[in-house]
Amino acid sequence: MVEHDAFRATREAYDALAPTYAQLFRGELRDRPLDRAILAAFAEVVGEGGGGQVADLGCGPGHVTAHLAGLGLAVFGVDASPAMVGLAREAHPDLRFEVGSMAALDIADGVLGGVLSRWSVIHTPPPELPAVLAEFHRVLAPGGHLLIGFWANDDPSHPAQVFDHAVAPAYRWSPDRLAALLRASGLAEAARMVREPRPTDRRQFQEVHLLARKACEGAV
């Protein structure tokens, strides 16, 4: 299948670049106060919702997983790249990291208080994204929160726009269109943060974080 081939190619590309990627991004949050702020807000709303385990999906070398653990969350990481998971385990031996696919998570229904998807859906072909979002919804407990990060496209009339990513083909999304997909999967947008690119950023794209919540049972 084409989707399987794309997934495999992306995984193999990240396996090959894992040490370089880990070195480049290890300290990325240090100079990103707004990113730290939205992660702190995510940690707070998860705690207010009753806590529970949090999955960092597409965790890479585990630096953001560790940051969330430092904010008090019971967090574990999942990544499709075995090499990335190996580096994460070496760097953060006190945390749990697993190899897995966002499209078929080895997680029971409704058990997570939170899901973080930080730039991890950018390599998902647009026709496959609804299934991934449905998987996020499946594993979240009622009232659980999702924080999803991605780059915005330049043309809101198109839901997604392909761009030349250094590792594998990737997509930018219209924030409104992605929010609509979240709603269709049962995740209601609670907030969004849009950051303009800095002059020194390699990619001059808007960065978007959407915070969404799964409805509580019996809610109308």
Side-chain angles (χ1 to χ4, degrees):
M1 293 177 62
V2 173
E3 295 80 14
H4 180 268
D5 289 344
F7 173 82
R8 181 175 59 190
T10 300
R11 181 192 64 211
E12 292 174 352
Y14 274 101
D15 276 344
L17 293 173
T20 301
Y21 184 99
Q23 184 174 6
L24 285 174
F25 289 96
R26 183 176 294 115
E28 67 161 330
L29 292 176
R30 187 182 308 117
D31 299 322
R32 290 178 168 266
L34 294 178
D35 288 33
R36 296 197 307 272
I38 195 68
L39 289 170
F42 171 67
E44 186 170 341
V45 297
V46 169
E48 290 176 349
Q53 285 198 314
V54 172
D56 179 6
L57 302 180
C59 65
H63 56 294
V64 179
T65 318
H67 182 80
L68 291 178
L71 294 176
L73 294 180
V75 60
F76 64 97
V78 178
D79 201 277
S81 164
M84 287 288 195
V85 169
L87 291 174
R89 288 170 174 167
E90 290 177 12
H92 310 287
D94 54 327
L95 298 177
R96 176 163 62 98
F97 296 95
E98 302 172 351
V99 177
S101 166
M102 294 185 300
L105 294 166
D106 187 18
I107 300 172
D109 294 356
V111 298
L112 298 182
V115 166
L116 176 68
S117 172
R118 180 179 164 84
W119 275 266
S120 58
V121 299
I122 63 170
H123 300 298
T124 302
E128 302 300 313
L129 188 57
V132 171
L133 299 181
E135 190 72 347
F136 294 172
H137 178 273
R138 180 186 68 79
V139 299
L140 278 170
H145 285 82
L146 165 71
L147 181 63
I148 185 167
F150 56 97
W151 281 296
N153 65 7
D154 296 325
D155 186 353
S157 66
H158 294 283
Q161 180 179 3
V162 69
F163 70 96
D164 186 17
H165 190 275
V167 179
Y171 303 87
R172 297 189 281 155
W173 278 87
S174 158
D176 289 340
R177 294 294 187 93
L178 205 150
L181 289 179
L182 289 174
R183 286 195 301 274
S185 72
L187 297 164
E189 180 183 354
R192 72 173 67 181
M193 183 181 79
V194 180
R195 186 179 75 79
E196 296 295 330
R198 299 169 295 188
T200 55
D201 287 346
R202 183 165 64 90
R203 293 188 180 91
Q204 292 296 296
F205 306 152
Q206 286 182 329
E207 294 184 355
V208 182
H209 286 83
L210 293 179
L211 180 66
R213 182 174 181 270
K214 181 176 177 175
C216 293
E217 292 180 353
V220 294

